[in-house]
Amino acid sequence: MRRIKQWTGLLALATWVSASALAVEGPALVVGQAVHGQVGGASRPVWQLPLQAGDLVRGKVDGDISLRLLDAQGRPLRLLIDGLDQPRDFLFVAEQTGDFAVRAEPLPTRPNTRFALRLEQVLAQAEQRRPAEPLRSPAMRALAQQLAAGASTEAFWKARAEAGTPMVEALPGQPGQRLVTFLWRGARDNVRVFGAPTGNHEALLRLGRSDVWYRSFEVPAASRLSYQMAPDVPASDDRRMILATTRRDPLNPHRFADASGDPWLSRSRLELPDAAPQPWVQRRADVPRGSVERKRLASTLLGNERDIYLYRPAGWRAGKADQALLVLFDAHAYTRQVPTPTMLDNLIADGLVPPTAAIIIANPSGASRERELPPNPLFARFMAEELMPWAAGQGLSAPAARTVVAGSSYGGLASAYLGLRHPELFGNVLSMSGSYWWPLSGGEPGWLTREYVKAPRQPLRFYLQSGLFEGPKIVDTNRHLRDVLLAKGYPVEQVEFPAGHDYLQWRGSLPCGLISLLGRGTQAVAQACVPQG
């Protein structure tokens, strides 16, 4: 705390120093003091930020803008916040001592936006605790023997650059399992894996005094996951600190969520050979493309407004029989990381689902998502009394038996809640890694499952998916809900894949759920939608 207080004073005193050293002008950011501004046109406010190597920097933006880190010459270093995505917190670690700056930038879709920026913490490296982990991998033990004999790591890293990372090894006598070793070259203190198979952001171990950091996991041969590497994470009781240094794995050529191209915001992809295919993700040149229209919808009930994306498949005509409708949460992900319109184009072209339109609902903010998607009677009223009538006026509607409400995590929880509250509108629930552990007002976990126990059976069908790497908080509560629904007589398909809490998996689960609820399966579909191993 003393170091943070010293920084507050030093940042204020350093304003004149930074003004002379930086090629861009602007006031200094001060820890604990919010600054306000507006972007649009030529207005791109800049604040100066002198740092020491290893300093942890944490802050937050309130408003629809992007935020970029600059060097002393005003050149871009990295994108701290991509305003098109949901997160508005930023964390990073200074890689060297010097003068830096942060610049607010407008979004093409949000001109003249007002915002607030707050620098919450600058924590010196000396105050960051450091963990360690033991050795597991047989391959790494062999490398350790080579190093003990006087060899260098150059040949090892050359081989890894050619083969890519993580390192995947067969396990004798276990054809359905693989040993996956995550690797990082060179770090001062520690390396962690964000999104590792355990979901615990596991720490890597340094191999002796070499530049090799590693951690091995035994996983099913059908595993699929996305991840980031995080070198020199500031130690803290706050798990979010890992976000300060997360970035793509530089030796893994396979990327995911890479729309910005920024290595700190995109992820690396690991798909083992037995992972179920995802044949509907890529756009096909010979498939008719539907249209996507972005609208803005204000809610009187909720007192806010949000973007709504309306997808209409090719040939869609309002009121036509045998058409279906998908209502989907978290538009920031399901229009980007999960290309929902493209997948619907392909599913329809393959004859696996009827012509299906989509209403993809954005969150006004991260805070509103936390309030609205867990069971919320007012949000349910918004969906039933405002959104669905408005969408029908746009020509997007279908009978409840052909309407699917869908989402992941809190979105899966919201989908099951809306099915219970409004089965007259939503006759099909597609839940991916639903957060059924959620308690009401600090009560016992599993509130919604108990509501299904008490309520009479409704005309609903369910597709429940969860990932084996998500731990009991997700896996066990999804199984419990499945058992309750089956006992009540509901039609339920429940599947578990060797995956985590991950949009990379959900972009495969969404089309499989739609086929389960709206279409008819084939052998090819079974290969893509049934977990292997």
Side-chain angles (χ1 to χ4, degrees):
M1 291 301 297
R2 181 180 176 185
R3 180 74 168 98
I4 297 173
K5 292 177 180 177
Q6 289 174 342
W7 258 108
T8 303
L10 287 173
L11 286 173
L13 291 173
T15 302
W16 69 273
V17 176
S18 296
S20 60
L22 277 167
V24 290
E25 296 183 357
L29 279 179
V30 178
V31 173
Q33 296 183 11
V35 295
H36 302 267
Q38 183 171 359
V39 294
S43 175
R44 294 188 174 193
V46 175
W47 291 268
Q48 298 171 24
L49 186 60
L51 298 169
Q52 299 292 316
D55 280 348
L56 164 73
V57 182
R58 179 169 64 173
K60 184 174 184 178
V61 167
D62 183 12
D64 292 336
I65 65 164
S66 292
L67 192 70
R68 194 176 301 272
L69 181 68
L70 311 176
D71 67 9
Q73 286 71 48
R75 295 172 299 202
L77 291 176
R78 59 176 288 189
L79 197 61
L80 296 175
I81 291 177
D82 176 359
L84 294 175
D85 217 336
Q86 194 66 56
R88 294 293 188 268
D89 298 307
F90 63 90
L91 282 166
F92 70 94
V93 169
E95 296 186 351
Q96 61 188 28
T97 299
D99 291 313
F100 298 85
V102 292
R103 182 173 68 200
E105 300 179 355
L107 303 180
T109 57
R110 297 286 189 273
N112 302 317
T113 298
R114 299 196 63 81
F115 67 91
L117 166 64
R118 182 182 177 90
L119 183 65
E120 296 182 336
Q121 185 181 39
V122 177
L123 186 63
Q125 182 183 354
E127 298 192 10
Q128 301 164 14
R129 301 185 302 273
R130 302 172 178 89
E133 284 293 327
L135 172 67
R136 284 190 60 198
S137 168
M140 301 311 300
R141 287 198 296 268
L143 176 60
Q145 293 175 356
Q146 297 169 15
L147 295 177
S152 74
T153 63
E154 290 302 320
F156 174 81
W157 286 120
K158 181 179 179 181
R160 299 282 64 77
E162 293 173 354
T165 53
M167 184 166 56
V168 180
E169 303 167 274
L171 289 167
Q174 300 183 66
Q177 297 292 107
R178 296 291 184 273
L179 191 70
V180 172
T181 301
F182 293 87
L183 295 162
W184 184 267
R185 185 174 193 179
R188 290 189 305 269
D189 301 304
N190 62 74
V191 184
R192 294 171 67 185
V193 186
F194 182 71
T198 64
N200 292 327
H201 313 328
E202 301 286 357
L204 274 63
L205 175 71
R206 185 178 182 182
L207 187 60
R209 300 180 65 85
S210 75
D211 60 356
V212 178
W213 295 77
Y214 64 93
R215 183 68 184 270
S216 298
F217 301 89
E218 186 177 322
V219 300
S223 296
R224 169 181 280 115
L225 58 91
S226 68
Y227 68 97
Q228 292 177 303
M229 304 299 292
D232 297 312
V233 177
S236 171
D237 293 334
D238 187 346
R239 286 167 56 89
R240 295 174 300 172
M241 286 297 174
I242 194 174
L243 299 176
T245 67
T246 50
R247 64 193 71 180
R248 279 197 316 258
D249 183 346
L251 295 182
N252 184 345
H254 306 292
R255 300 177 180 181
F256 178 63
D258 194 39
S260 69
D262 190 287
W264 284 271
L265 293 182
S266 56
R267 300 171 69 88
S268 295
R269 176 164 47 94
L270 173 64
E271 295 171 299
L272 296 187
D274 291 346
Q278 295 182 339
W280 303 289
V281 171
Q282 300 300 324
R283 183 173 292 163
R284 305 175 193 168
D286 59 342
V287 168
R289 293 174 59 183
S291 64
V292 179
E293 182 181 14
R294 188 180 58 138
K295 296 269 190 180
R296 195 77 175 162
L297 178 63
S299 169
T300 301
L301 287 167
L302 297 173
N304 58 24
E305 60 179 43
R306 71 193 68 219
D307 286 337
I308 307 289
Y309 294 82
L310 304 179
Y311 163 81
R312 298 175 177 87
W316 176 269
R317 293 207 314 268
K320 186 179 177 182
D322 197 31
Q323 296 183 141
L325 179 64
L326 167 65
V327 181
L328 181 61
F329 298 111
D330 289 328
H332 69 277
Y334 285 93
T335 56
R336 303 178 74 202
Q337 292 100 312
V338 182
T340 305
T342 295
M343 294 191 301
L344 287 170
D345 288 340
N346 293 333
L347 289 170
I348 295 166
D350 289 348
L352 298 173
V353 299
T356 302
I359 306 166
I360 311 177
I361 305 163
N363 307 300
S365 68
S368 67
R369 183 181 189 274
E370 300 291 317
R371 292 191 306 269
E372 294 175 353
L373 294 190
N376 181 330
L378 195 60
F379 185 72
R381 286 187 58 196
F382 158 73
M383 294 288 293
E385 299 173 24
E386 294 182 329
L387 178 96
M388 296 303 285
W390 172 83
Q394 305 291 319
L396 274 69
S397 64
R402 293 200 302 274
T403 297
V404 177
V405 59
S408 52
S409 194
Y410 271 167
L413 178 68
S415 299
Y417 178 66
L418 284 166
L420 185 63
R421 289 295 297 265
H422 292 288
E424 77 284 1
L425 296 172
F426 310 107
N428 301 274
V429 173
L430 198 169
S431 170
M432 297 167 285
S433 302
S435 301
Y436 299 112
W437 52 265
W438 181 83
L440 177 65
S441 301
E444 294 183 5
W447 177 85
L448 184 58
T449 300
R450 292 193 297 275
E451 290 298 297
Y452 269 96
V453 171
K454 295 185 292 186
R457 177 184 166 187
Q458 304 294 337
L460 297 171
R461 300 175 69 235
F462 291 84
Y463 181 88
L464 306 177
Q465 177 268 322
S466 54
L468 295 174
F469 301 153
E470 296 185 273
K473 191 173 183 179
I474 295 292
V475 175
D476 289 355
T477 56
N478 272 261
R479 292 172 179 171
H480 186 201
L481 177 62
R482 171 205 61 197
D483 293 343
V484 165
L485 294 174
L486 290 173
K488 299 283 287 190
Y490 285 104
V492 181
E493 181 175 356
Q494 189 257 347
V495 296
E496 296 173 354
F497 286 88
H501 208 70
D502 196 336
Y503 288 112
L504 182 63
Q505 172 58 45
W506 297 335
R507 71 177 187 172
S509 298
L510 178 61
C512 289
L514 291 173
I515 294 168
S516 174
L517 296 170
L518 297 175
R520 291 181 297 178
T522 65
Q523 188 62 37
V525 173
Q527 183 183 6
C529 294
V530 175
Q532 304 298 307

